[in-house]
mmCIF file of all heavy atoms in Angstrom:
data_model
loop_
_atom_site.group_PDB
_atom_site.id
_atom_site.type_symbol
_atom_site.label_atom_id
_atom_site.label_comp_id
_atom_site.label_asym_id
_atom_site.label_seq_id
_atom_site.Cartn_x
_atom_site.Cartn_y
_atom_site.Cartn_z
ATOM 1 N N VAL A 1 79.055 26.941 90.140
ATOM 2 C CA VAL A 1 77.736 26.676 89.485
ATOM 3 C C VAL A 1 78.030 26.076 88.097
ATOM 4 O O VAL A 1 77.486 25.056 87.717
ATOM 5 C CB VAL A 1 76.888 27.907 89.450
ATOM 6 C CG1 VAL A 1 75.661 27.571 88.475
ATOM 7 C CG2 VAL A 1 76.365 28.238 90.772
ATOM 8 N N THR A 2 78.914 26.767 87.368
ATOM 9 C CA THR A 2 79.225 26.323 85.962
ATOM 10 C C THR A 2 80.029 24.958 86.053
ATOM 11 O O THR A 2 79.874 24.196 85.176
ATOM 12 C CB THR A 2 80.103 27.351 85.211
ATOM 13 O OG1 THR A 2 81.278 27.607 85.936
ATOM 14 C CG2 THR A 2 79.350 28.666 85.112
ATOM 15 N N TYR A 3 80.851 24.830 86.969
ATOM 16 C CA TYR A 3 81.587 23.570 87.262
ATOM 17 C C TYR A 3 80.607 22.438 87.476
ATOM 18 O O TYR A 3 80.679 21.301 86.821
ATOM 19 C CB TYR A 3 82.550 23.635 88.310
ATOM 20 C CG TYR A 3 83.601 22.504 88.344
ATOM 21 C CD1 TYR A 3 84.887 22.759 87.887
ATOM 22 C CD2 TYR A 3 83.270 21.250 88.784
ATOM 23 C CE1 TYR A 3 85.842 21.721 87.908
ATOM 24 C CE2 TYR A 3 84.187 20.198 88.757
ATOM 25 C CZ TYR A 3 85.488 20.425 88.298
ATOM 26 O OH TYR A 3 86.380 19.485 88.323
ATOM 27 N N ARG A 4 79.619 22.572 88.421
ATOM 28 C CA ARG A 4 78.759 21.505 88.740
ATOM 29 C C ARG A 4 77.896 21.122 87.443
ATOM 30 O O ARG A 4 77.529 20.018 87.259
ATOM 31 C CB ARG A 4 77.838 21.943 89.894
ATOM 32 C CG ARG A 4 78.580 21.952 91.222
ATOM 33 C CD ARG A 4 77.662 22.037 92.441
ATOM 34 N NE ARG A 4 76.969 23.352 92.473
ATOM 35 C CZ ARG A 4 77.398 24.399 93.152
ATOM 36 N NH1 ARG A 4 78.539 24.304 93.767
ATOM 37 N NH2 ARG A 4 76.771 25.562 93.194
ATOM 38 N N ASN A 5 77.513 22.136 86.708
ATOM 39 C CA ASN A 5 76.676 21.775 85.553
ATOM 40 C C ASN A 5 77.548 21.097 84.452
ATOM 41 O O ASN A 5 77.071 20.113 83.814
ATOM 42 C CB ASN A 5 76.120 23.118 84.831
ATOM 43 C CG ASN A 5 74.929 23.629 85.676
ATOM 44 O OD1 ASN A 5 74.284 22.913 86.394
ATOM 45 N ND2 ASN A 5 74.718 24.909 85.616
ATOM 46 N N ALA A 6 78.769 21.484 84.286
ATOM 47 C CA ALA A 6 79.679 20.725 83.406
ATOM 48 C C ALA A 6 79.911 19.347 83.919
ATOM 49 O O ALA A 6 80.032 18.393 83.120
ATOM 50 C CB ALA A 6 81.020 21.442 83.177
ATOM 51 N N TYR A 7 79.964 19.176 85.232
ATOM 52 C CA TYR A 7 80.117 17.880 85.826
ATOM 53 C C TYR A 7 78.851 17.010 85.526
ATOM 54 O O TYR A 7 79.034 15.856 85.198
ATOM 55 C CB TYR A 7 80.254 18.054 87.361
ATOM 56 C CG TYR A 7 80.571 16.806 88.128
ATOM 57 C CD1 TYR A 7 81.840 16.226 88.145
ATOM 58 C CD2 TYR A 7 79.544 16.193 88.899
ATOM 59 C CE1 TYR A 7 82.124 15.108 88.929
ATOM 60 C CE2 TYR A 7 79.841 15.052 89.659
ATOM 61 C CZ TYR A 7 81.120 14.562 89.674
ATOM 62 O OH TYR A 7 81.358 13.396 90.408
ATOM 63 N N ARG A 8 77.617 17.618 85.667
ATOM 64 C CA ARG A 8 76.456 16.818 85.312
ATOM 65 C C ARG A 8 76.498 16.409 83.873
ATOM 66 O O ARG A 8 76.140 15.202 83.572
ATOM 67 C CB ARG A 8 75.206 17.673 85.626
ATOM 68 C CG ARG A 8 75.020 17.950 87.079
ATOM 69 C CD ARG A 8 73.800 18.937 87.091
ATOM 70 N NE ARG A 8 73.312 19.076 88.564
ATOM 71 C CZ ARG A 8 73.719 20.169 89.308
ATOM 72 N NH1 ARG A 8 74.515 21.084 88.893
ATOM 73 N NH2 ARG A 8 73.189 20.255 90.556
ATOM 74 N N ASN A 9 76.857 17.222 83.015
ATOM 75 C CA ASN A 9 76.891 16.919 81.539
ATOM 76 C C ASN A 9 77.962 15.801 81.286
ATOM 77 O O ASN A 9 77.667 14.858 80.498
ATOM 78 C CB ASN A 9 77.257 18.127 80.670
ATOM 79 C CG ASN A 9 76.207 19.207 80.786
ATOM 80 O OD1 ASN A 9 75.026 18.957 81.020
ATOM 81 N ND2 ASN A 9 76.720 20.524 80.679
ATOM 82 N N THR A 10 79.029 15.820 82.016
ATOM 83 C CA THR A 10 80.032 14.795 81.818
ATOM 84 C C THR A 10 79.511 13.495 82.267
ATOM 85 O O THR A 10 79.787 12.408 81.741
ATOM 86 C CB THR A 10 81.344 15.221 82.698
ATOM 87 O OG1 THR A 10 81.851 16.424 82.181
ATOM 88 C CG2 THR A 10 82.432 14.151 82.577
ATOM 89 N N LEU A 11 78.766 13.491 83.509
ATOM 90 C CA LEU A 11 78.252 12.173 83.949
ATOM 91 C C LEU A 11 77.190 11.697 82.991
ATOM 92 O O LEU A 11 77.239 10.405 82.813
ATOM 93 C CB LEU A 11 77.591 12.426 85.344
ATOM 94 C CG LEU A 11 78.458 12.900 86.474
ATOM 95 C CD1 LEU A 11 77.652 12.882 87.819
ATOM 96 C CD2 LEU A 11 79.693 12.089 86.652
ATOM 97 N N ILE A 12 76.431 12.376 82.371
ATOM 98 C CA ILE A 12 75.486 11.896 81.384
ATOM 99 C C ILE A 12 76.202 11.087 80.338
ATOM 100 O O ILE A 12 75.789 10.013 79.884
ATOM 101 C CB ILE A 12 74.629 13.029 80.848
ATOM 102 C CG1 ILE A 12 73.758 13.669 81.862
ATOM 103 C CG2 ILE A 12 73.623 12.466 79.739
ATOM 104 C CD1 ILE A 12 73.050 14.971 81.396
ATOM 105 N N TRP A 13 77.398 11.625 79.835
ATOM 106 C CA TRP A 13 78.067 11.087 78.781
ATOM 107 C C TRP A 13 78.966 9.915 79.235
ATOM 108 O O TRP A 13 78.953 8.832 78.678
ATOM 109 C CB TRP A 13 78.959 12.204 78.119
ATOM 110 C CG TRP A 13 79.936 11.738 77.032
ATOM 111 C CD1 TRP A 13 81.280 11.743 77.130
ATOM 112 C CD2 TRP A 13 79.579 11.133 75.772
ATOM 113 N NE1 TRP A 13 81.831 11.190 75.931
ATOM 114 C CE2 TRP A 13 80.734 10.825 75.112
ATOM 115 C CE3 TRP A 13 78.348 10.835 75.128
ATOM 116 C CZ2 TRP A 13 80.824 10.232 73.866
ATOM 117 C CZ3 TRP A 13 78.440 10.272 73.874
ATOM 118 C CH2 TRP A 13 79.658 9.976 73.224
ATOM 119 N N ASN A 14 79.812 10.144 80.245
ATOM 120 C CA ASN A 14 80.801 9.159 80.617
ATOM 121 C C ASN A 14 80.244 8.109 81.644
ATOM 122 O O ASN A 14 81.042 7.148 82.006
ATOM 123 C CB ASN A 14 82.061 9.840 81.243
ATOM 124 C CG ASN A 14 83.008 10.179 80.129
ATOM 125 O OD1 ASN A 14 82.929 9.756 79.031
ATOM 126 N ND2 ASN A 14 84.055 11.010 80.469
ATOM 127 N N VAL A 15 79.070 8.298 82.197
ATOM 128 C CA VAL A 15 78.407 7.351 82.976
ATOM 129 C C VAL A 15 77.117 6.712 82.215
ATOM 130 O O VAL A 15 77.068 5.485 81.863
ATOM 131 C CB VAL A 15 78.093 7.777 84.408
ATOM 132 C CG1 VAL A 15 77.410 6.647 85.181
ATOM 133 C CG2 VAL A 15 79.338 8.236 85.080
ATOM 134 N N GLY A 16 76.241 7.683 82.022
ATOM 135 C CA GLY A 16 74.905 7.241 81.431
ATOM 136 C C GLY A 16 75.120 6.597 80.107
ATOM 137 O O GLY A 16 74.723 5.532 79.841
ATOM 138 N N ALA A 17 75.691 7.364 79.162
ATOM 139 C CA ALA A 17 75.841 6.907 77.807
ATOM 140 C C ALA A 17 76.892 5.754 77.762
ATOM 141 O O ALA A 17 76.778 4.839 76.867
ATOM 142 C CB ALA A 17 76.266 8.045 76.891
ATOM 143 N N PHE A 18 77.816 5.749 78.659
ATOM 144 C CA PHE A 18 78.782 4.669 78.682
ATOM 145 C C PHE A 18 78.115 3.320 78.987
ATOM 146 O O PHE A 18 78.370 2.365 78.323
ATOM 147 C CB PHE A 18 79.836 4.935 79.770
ATOM 148 C CG PHE A 18 80.660 3.750 80.105
ATOM 149 C CD1 PHE A 18 81.858 3.459 79.421
ATOM 150 C CD2 PHE A 18 80.430 2.836 81.106
ATOM 151 C CE1 PHE A 18 82.689 2.427 79.654
ATOM 152 C CE2 PHE A 18 81.192 1.769 81.487
ATOM 153 C CZ PHE A 18 82.293 1.546 80.740
ATOM 154 N N PHE A 19 77.218 3.301 80.045
ATOM 155 C CA PHE A 19 76.556 2.061 80.349
ATOM 156 C C PHE A 19 75.500 1.688 79.275
ATOM 157 O O PHE A 19 75.301 0.464 79.043
ATOM 158 C CB PHE A 19 75.852 2.157 81.731
ATOM 159 C CG PHE A 19 76.873 1.869 82.852
ATOM 160 C CD1 PHE A 19 77.261 2.843 83.709
ATOM 161 C CD2 PHE A 19 77.426 0.612 83.034
ATOM 162 C CE1 PHE A 19 78.136 2.684 84.758
ATOM 163 C CE2 PHE A 19 78.278 0.386 84.056
ATOM 164 C CZ PHE A 19 78.715 1.366 84.905
ATOM 165 N N ASP A 20 74.911 2.670 78.647
ATOM 166 C CA ASP A 20 74.024 2.339 77.585
ATOM 167 C C ASP A 20 74.793 1.653 76.431
ATOM 168 O O ASP A 20 74.345 0.594 75.850
ATOM 169 C CB ASP A 20 73.352 3.642 77.010
ATOM 170 C CG ASP A 20 72.187 4.120 77.790
ATOM 171 O OD1 ASP A 20 71.696 3.296 78.739
ATOM 172 O OD2 ASP A 20 71.663 5.147 77.566
ATOM 173 N N ARG A 21 75.985 2.156 76.088
ATOM 174 C CA ARG A 21 76.736 1.548 75.084
ATOM 175 C C ARG A 21 77.265 0.214 75.416
ATOM 176 O O ARG A 21 77.224 -0.818 74.688
ATOM 177 C CB ARG A 21 77.944 2.427 74.744
ATOM 178 C CG ARG A 21 78.767 2.030 73.592
ATOM 179 C CD ARG A 21 79.871 3.053 73.353
ATOM 180 N NE ARG A 21 80.635 2.743 72.061
ATOM 181 C CZ ARG A 21 80.503 3.448 70.969
ATOM 182 N NH1 ARG A 21 79.685 4.518 70.959
ATOM 183 N NH2 ARG A 21 81.202 3.201 69.879
ATOM 184 N N LEU A 22 77.733 -0.005 76.681
ATOM 185 C CA LEU A 22 78.339 -1.261 77.177
ATOM 186 C C LEU A 22 77.302 -2.299 77.216
ATOM 187 O O LEU A 22 77.384 -3.488 76.631
ATOM 188 C CB LEU A 22 78.966 -1.108 78.463
ATOM 189 C CG LEU A 22 79.449 -2.351 79.283
ATOM 190 C CD1 LEU A 22 80.460 -3.089 78.487
ATOM 191 C CD2 LEU A 22 79.847 -1.988 80.646
ATOM 192 N N LEU A 23 76.130 -2.045 77.894
ATOM 193 C CA LEU A 23 75.118 -3.065 78.201
ATOM 194 C C LEU A 23 74.286 -3.366 76.989
ATOM 195 O O LEU A 23 73.624 -4.390 76.920
ATOM 196 C CB LEU A 23 74.293 -2.644 79.339
ATOM 197 C CG LEU A 23 75.034 -2.391 80.672
ATOM 198 C CD1 LEU A 23 74.077 -2.015 81.803
ATOM 199 C CD2 LEU A 23 75.796 -3.620 81.073
ATOM 200 N N GLY A 24 74.355 -2.457 75.974
ATOM 201 C CA GLY A 24 73.542 -2.658 74.759
ATOM 202 C C GLY A 24 74.239 -3.785 73.885
ATOM 203 O O GLY A 24 73.612 -4.275 72.948
ATOM 204 N N GLN A 25 75.451 -4.056 74.128
ATOM 205 C CA GLN A 25 76.241 -5.086 73.304
ATOM 206 C C GLN A 25 76.897 -6.173 74.041
ATOM 207 O O GLN A 25 77.312 -7.167 73.463
ATOM 208 C CB GLN A 25 77.274 -4.365 72.433
ATOM 209 C CG GLN A 25 78.255 -3.505 73.274
ATOM 210 C CD GLN A 25 79.294 -2.745 72.365
ATOM 211 O OE1 GLN A 25 79.761 -3.243 71.376
ATOM 212 N NE2 GLN A 25 79.500 -1.513 72.752
ATOM 213 N N ALA A 26 76.930 -6.024 75.425
ATOM 214 C CA ALA A 26 77.638 -7.091 76.161
ATOM 215 C C ALA A 26 76.812 -8.179 76.700
ATOM 216 O O ALA A 26 75.648 -7.896 77.100
ATOM 217 C CB ALA A 26 78.378 -6.448 77.309
ATOM 218 N N ASP A 27 77.152 -9.414 76.643
ATOM 219 C CA ASP A 27 76.404 -10.558 77.195
ATOM 220 C C ASP A 27 76.963 -10.795 78.609
ATOM 221 O O ASP A 27 78.082 -11.324 78.730
ATOM 222 C CB ASP A 27 76.570 -11.696 76.277
ATOM 223 C CG ASP A 27 75.761 -12.951 76.810
ATOM 224 O OD1 ASP A 27 75.013 -12.796 77.866
ATOM 225 O OD2 ASP A 27 75.892 -14.005 76.230
ATOM 226 N N LEU A 28 76.165 -10.556 79.638
ATOM 227 C CA LEU A 28 76.627 -10.703 80.970
ATOM 228 C C LEU A 28 76.260 -12.065 81.567
ATOM 229 O O LEU A 28 76.311 -12.300 82.789
ATOM 230 C CB LEU A 28 76.109 -9.553 81.862
ATOM 231 C CG LEU A 28 77.097 -8.443 82.209
ATOM 232 C CD1 LEU A 28 77.466 -7.667 80.899
ATOM 233 C CD2 LEU A 28 76.586 -7.463 83.206
ATOM 234 N N ALA A 29 75.712 -12.962 80.746
ATOM 235 C CA ALA A 29 75.352 -14.262 81.266
ATOM 236 C C ALA A 29 76.517 -14.899 82.034
ATOM 237 O O ALA A 29 77.532 -15.255 81.441
ATOM 238 C CB ALA A 29 74.865 -15.140 80.130
ATOM 239 N N GLY A 30 76.410 -15.047 83.274
ATOM 240 C CA GLY A 30 77.404 -15.722 84.113
ATOM 241 C C GLY A 30 78.557 -14.718 84.539
ATOM 242 O O GLY A 30 79.348 -15.093 85.346
ATOM 243 N N SER A 31 78.534 -13.561 83.983
ATOM 244 C CA SER A 31 79.622 -12.511 84.419
ATOM 245 C C SER A 31 79.065 -11.629 85.449
ATOM 246 O O SER A 31 77.807 -11.326 85.508
ATOM 247 C CB SER A 31 80.027 -11.874 83.126
ATOM 248 O OG SER A 31 80.733 -12.760 82.298
ATOM 249 N N THR A 32 79.965 -10.945 86.026
ATOM 250 C CA THR A 32 79.560 -9.916 87.039
ATOM 251 C C THR A 32 80.495 -8.683 86.933
ATOM 252 O O THR A 32 81.681 -8.755 86.777
ATOM 253 C CB THR A 32 79.785 -10.421 88.469
ATOM 254 O OG1 THR A 32 78.995 -11.711 88.609
ATOM 255 C CG2 THR A 32 79.294 -9.484 89.565
ATOM 256 N N ILE A 33 79.925 -7.489 86.987
ATOM 257 C CA ILE A 33 80.643 -6.250 86.977
ATOM 258 C C ILE A 33 80.368 -5.535 88.371
ATOM 259 O O ILE A 33 79.248 -5.379 88.781
ATOM 260 C CB ILE A 33 80.128 -5.325 85.909
ATOM 261 C CG1 ILE A 33 80.382 -5.975 84.508
ATOM 262 C CG2 ILE A 33 80.838 -3.936 85.952
ATOM 263 C CD1 ILE A 33 79.855 -5.163 83.335
ATOM 264 N N ILE A 34 81.468 -5.212 89.044
ATOM 265 C CA ILE A 34 81.362 -4.396 90.282
ATOM 266 C C ILE A 34 81.802 -2.957 89.890
ATOM 267 O O ILE A 34 82.979 -2.768 89.488
ATOM 268 C CB ILE A 34 82.184 -4.951 91.370
ATOM 269 C CG1 ILE A 34 81.753 -6.363 91.764
ATOM 270 C CG2 ILE A 34 82.101 -4.107 92.633
ATOM 271 C CD1 ILE A 34 82.578 -7.051 92.814
ATOM 272 N N TYR A 35 80.852 -2.086 89.964
ATOM 273 C CA TYR A 35 81.059 -0.649 89.543
ATOM 274 C C TYR A 35 81.233 0.244 90.715
ATOM 275 O O TYR A 35 80.353 0.258 91.623
ATOM 276 C CB TYR A 35 79.966 -0.117 88.602
ATOM 277 C CG TYR A 35 80.079 1.348 88.319
ATOM 278 C CD1 TYR A 35 81.140 1.865 87.462
ATOM 279 C CD2 TYR A 35 79.120 2.216 88.879
ATOM 280 C CE1 TYR A 35 81.225 3.177 87.226
ATOM 281 C CE2 TYR A 35 79.187 3.583 88.526
ATOM 282 C CZ TYR A 35 80.224 4.130 87.809
ATOM 283 O OH TYR A 35 80.311 5.428 87.556
ATOM 284 N N THR A 36 82.244 1.075 90.691
ATOM 285 C CA THR A 36 82.448 2.088 91.746
ATOM 286 C C THR A 36 83.293 3.194 91.250
ATOM 287 O O THR A 36 83.631 3.238 90.072
ATOM 288 C CB THR A 36 83.023 1.480 93.047
ATOM 289 O OG1 THR A 36 83.019 2.469 94.097
ATOM 290 C CG2 THR A 36 84.517 1.101 92.834
ATOM 291 N N SER A 37 83.615 4.109 91.992
ATOM 292 C CA SER A 37 84.593 5.233 91.699
ATOM 293 C C SER A 37 85.699 5.251 92.678
ATOM 294 O O SER A 37 85.579 4.717 93.834
ATOM 295 C CB SER A 37 83.865 6.616 91.624
ATOM 296 O OG SER A 37 84.791 7.640 91.360
ATOM 297 N N ASP A 38 86.841 5.810 92.237
ATOM 298 C CA ASP A 38 87.949 5.886 93.166
ATOM 299 C C ASP A 38 87.685 6.766 94.338
ATOM 300 O O ASP A 38 88.024 6.436 95.528
ATOM 301 C CB ASP A 38 89.235 6.265 92.440
ATOM 302 C CG ASP A 38 89.092 7.569 91.653
ATOM 303 O OD1 ASP A 38 87.958 8.217 91.676
ATOM 304 O OD2 ASP A 38 90.036 8.035 91.107
ATOM 305 N N HIS A 39 87.037 7.869 94.168
ATOM 306 C CA HIS A 39 86.671 8.737 95.284
ATOM 307 C C HIS A 39 85.501 9.702 94.744
ATOM 308 O O HIS A 39 85.179 9.698 93.566
ATOM 309 C CB HIS A 39 87.869 9.670 95.633
ATOM 310 C CG HIS A 39 88.542 10.329 94.482
ATOM 311 N ND1 HIS A 39 88.029 11.407 93.865
ATOM 312 C CD2 HIS A 39 89.708 10.000 93.943
ATOM 313 C CE1 HIS A 39 88.872 11.731 92.875
ATOM 314 N NE2 HIS A 39 89.880 10.954 92.850
ATOM 315 N N GLY A 40 84.947 10.476 95.658
ATOM 316 C CA GLY A 40 83.934 11.423 95.343
ATOM 317 C C GLY A 40 84.523 12.783 95.017
ATOM 318 O O GLY A 40 85.713 12.924 94.645
ATOM 319 N N GLN A 41 83.713 13.853 95.141
ATOM 320 C CA GLN A 41 84.096 15.154 94.820
ATOM 321 C C GLN A 41 83.479 16.194 95.842
ATOM 322 O O GLN A 41 82.333 16.078 96.180
ATOM 323 C CB GLN A 41 83.586 15.599 93.434
ATOM 324 C CG GLN A 41 84.249 14.797 92.397
ATOM 325 C CD GLN A 41 85.583 15.256 91.917
ATOM 326 O OE1 GLN A 41 85.804 16.115 91.027
ATOM 327 N NE2 GLN A 41 86.651 14.745 92.541
ATOM 328 N N ASN A 42 84.279 17.170 96.191
ATOM 329 C CA ASN A 42 83.747 18.376 96.844
ATOM 330 C C ASN A 42 83.530 19.392 95.844
ATOM 331 O O ASN A 42 84.479 20.069 95.390
ATOM 332 C CB ASN A 42 84.748 18.780 97.929
ATOM 333 C CG ASN A 42 84.418 20.179 98.547
ATOM 334 O OD1 ASN A 42 83.229 20.576 98.500
ATOM 335 N ND2 ASN A 42 85.286 20.887 99.118
ATOM 336 N N LEU A 43 82.306 19.582 95.459
ATOM 337 C CA LEU A 43 81.984 20.574 94.411
ATOM 338 C C LEU A 43 81.521 21.885 95.083
ATOM 339 O O LEU A 43 80.772 22.675 94.372
ATOM 340 C CB LEU A 43 81.019 20.029 93.444
ATOM 341 C CG LEU A 43 81.531 18.745 92.649
ATOM 342 C CD1 LEU A 43 80.482 18.348 91.670
ATOM 343 C CD2 LEU A 43 82.845 19.046 91.942
ATOM 344 N N HIS A 44 81.849 22.081 96.303
ATOM 345 C CA HIS A 44 81.540 23.337 96.982
ATOM 346 C C HIS A 44 80.064 23.696 97.003
ATOM 347 O O HIS A 44 79.621 24.808 96.763
ATOM 348 C CB HIS A 44 82.382 24.487 96.397
ATOM 349 C CG HIS A 44 83.833 24.293 96.545
ATOM 350 N ND1 HIS A 44 84.557 25.095 97.421
ATOM 351 C CD2 HIS A 44 84.722 23.410 96.076
ATOM 352 C CE1 HIS A 44 85.875 24.704 97.395
ATOM 353 N NE2 HIS A 44 85.928 23.603 96.627
#
């Protein structure tokens, strides 16, 4: 339970805030980003 909550907090920072920061300053005109992850997680 504590792991999954820490995981959620991590996603808010390293995914949500990451994209806010990136897309707030990057010009994607003509460019393409393909976003994925290497693998998922078994969080029991």
Side-chain angles (χ1 to χ4, degrees):
V1 169
T2 62
Y3 193 104
R4 289 192 293 269
N5 284 334
Y7 185 77
R8 292 176 171 97
N9 297 330
T10 300
L11 297 190
I12 298 172
W13 174 246
N14 272 349
V15 179
F18 169 87
F19 277 113
D20 279 352
R21 188 180 187 104
L22 170 65
L23 301 180
Q25 55 184 317
D27 181 7
L28 260 66
S31 296
T32 305
I33 298 174
I34 300 179
Y35 171 70
T36 189
S37 178
D38 52 0
H39 51 74
Q41 296 277 271
N42 169 23
L43 300 183
H44 295 249

